[in-house]
Amino acid sequence: MSQQAMNVTHRMVPSPGGRIHVVEQGAGPLVLLVHGFPESWYSWRHQLPALASAGYRAAAIDVRGYGRSSKPGDLEAYRMLELVEDNAAVVEALGERSAVVVGHDWGSVIAANSALLRPDVFRAVGMLSVPYAPRGGPRPSEVFARMGGDEEFYVAYFQEPGRAEAEIEPDVRGWLAGIYAAFSGDTTAGPGAPDPHFVSRGGRLRDRFPAGRLPGWLSEDELDFYAGEFERTGMSGALHRYRNMDRDWEDLARFDGAPITQPSLFAGGALDASTTWMADAIKAYPATLPGLVTSEVLDGCGHWIQQERPAEINRLLTGWLAALPA
């Protein structure tokens, strides 16, 4: 789907970190769409027209550090508190007082924290692929260091500035094709294959990616769009999100164990490790998401849920949104 065919409006709006790139379609109640890693506003290309047709003002952003949005040089500028305030600033800049926020992957975590920290702005929250889990437990870096045994968990691998960039940036398009295939329902390597969430000591993450074909949801032109964005921006802004997880743990200490009480939605893929590894978080939803309206796990679906299953996600989102209090 080309940008031209989508009939979208691009704009830049002020934010605490500089400017945020917003792509809009439709009119009505505001729905703010927040992407994950390694993506962009473009990951919502199927949702923008569907939400607009259903009577909503859909606004997909480039998260700070991505695409056309500002890319502060300070690593600490990518902590969760900053990204939440970016979201609130976008709502204000669009002339609205409140919005529904929906996120995928890291965007799911950003959306959840936006609802938690700014309930005055975000009246409902949708989370795709990554379940809500309240802040708690040991420091994240300690948890990641214990995972994988002789191998290194990918989040730990991403921690050192420049290390993952050195793997990715010489062949951005090939690396993106690999990670999209590795976590897609139709191209995942499956049981028995080396797990692409881990890195062999001295190895590279891409050594675990399947090669040879794109997932069914991704065309060559769509891959070109993603690659072009990261060729222009580099990867550091995106990777700095991972490098602030311990800071987030410290910043959010006052919210330890806190539930999100606004109306909420969750959807995940049955073949997505984010869903399976965090099954206990989903089981805890009666306590952690007391306002939960919709929760579904899609059979045969991987991580890139709104791109792998756009019709189903559009149905879930529009049905949930229609049921929300005005």
Side-chain angles (χ1 to χ4, degrees):
M1 181 184 298
S2 70
Q3 294 184 62
Q4 291 77 15
M6 289 171 60
N7 192 30
V8 295
T9 300
H10 293 256
R11 69 170 72 190
M12 304 295 294
V13 302
S15 73
R19 299 191 303 170
I20 295 293
H21 174 222
V22 185
V23 181
E24 291 184 76
Q25 190 169 7
L30 179 62
V31 181
L32 186 68
L33 303 170
V34 187
H35 67 81
F37 176 89
E39 299 175 277
S40 81
W41 73 265
Y42 192 63
S43 67
W44 301 105
R45 61 194 177 279
H46 304 296
Q47 284 66 53
L48 286 163
L51 293 175
S53 295
Y56 298 95
R57 182 185 185 186
I61 65 170
D62 279 335
V63 173
R64 180 187 299 209
Y66 287 81
R68 302 185 200 174
S69 292
S70 293
K71 299 157 193 66
D74 182 4
L75 188 153
E76 294 190 20
Y78 297 86
R79 63 208 308 159
M80 184 60 67
L81 295 180
E82 301 280 354
L83 301 181
V84 167
E85 288 310 307
D86 281 348
N87 282 355
V90 169
V91 175
E92 180 180 0
L94 294 180
E96 304 286 352
R97 298 184 63 180
S98 68
V100 175
V101 61
V102 179
H104 169 256
D105 182 76
W106 262 121
S108 175
V109 184
I110 298 168
N113 280 282
S114 296
L116 184 66
L117 274 65
R118 295 299 306 269
D120 57 315
V121 176
F122 298 104
R123 62 187 181 93
V125 57
M127 292 157 284
L128 305 182
S129 296
V130 176
Y132 176 60
R135 186 266 188 208
R139 183 178 294 271
S141 60
E142 297 173 4
V143 175
F144 303 141
R146 293 196 296 265
M147 295 180 68
D150 292 335
E151 298 182 327
E152 189 174 15
F153 188 48
Y154 80 101
V155 177
Y157 177 71
F158 284 166
Q159 293 303 303
E160 181 184 344
R163 185 181 177 198
E165 289 93 327
E167 171 185 339
I168 301 167
E169 292 179 355
D171 177 20
V172 170
R173 191 180 192 277
W175 194 88
L176 291 175
I179 196 168
Y180 296 151
F183 303 128
S184 293
D186 63 338
T187 48
T188 183
D195 192 332
H197 293 89
F198 294 90
V199 181
S200 301
R201 299 293 174 180
R204 305 172 303 169
L205 197 61
R206 71 185 306 153
D207 295 338
R208 300 290 182 85
F209 294 163
R213 67 187 181 101
L214 295 182
W217 58 267
L218 185 67
S219 71
E220 296 284 353
D221 287 346
E222 289 167 334
L223 177 59
D224 285 343
F225 180 88
Y226 282 122
E229 295 290 273
F230 289 108
E231 291 282 7
R232 185 178 69 253
T233 65
M235 299 298 300
S236 290
L239 288 162
H240 284 342
R241 174 82 291 275
Y242 292 92
R243 296 162 183 162
N244 277 281
M245 295 178 75
D246 279 356
R247 293 183 184 90
D248 298 339
W249 183 82
E250 295 166 357
D251 290 342
L252 298 172
R254 67 189 185 279
F255 294 98
D256 194 84
I260 293 173
T261 59
Q262 295 98 313
S264 57
L265 169 147
F266 172 73
L271 300 181
D272 183 5
S274 299
T275 301
T276 56
W277 287 351
M278 298 183 71
D280 287 346
I282 297 173
K283 291 178 183 177
Y285 278 170
T288 61
L289 292 177
L292 184 67
V293 176
T294 299
S295 180
E296 290 201 22
V297 175
L298 305 185
D299 289 340
C301 186
H303 182 67
W304 319 103
I305 188 168
Q306 79 271 32
Q307 298 176 87
E308 292 187 51
R309 300 286 184 83
E312 290 172 80
I313 294 303
N314 292 346
R315 174 184 58 80
L316 289 173
L317 286 176
T318 55
W320 171 66
L321 289 166
L324 293 178

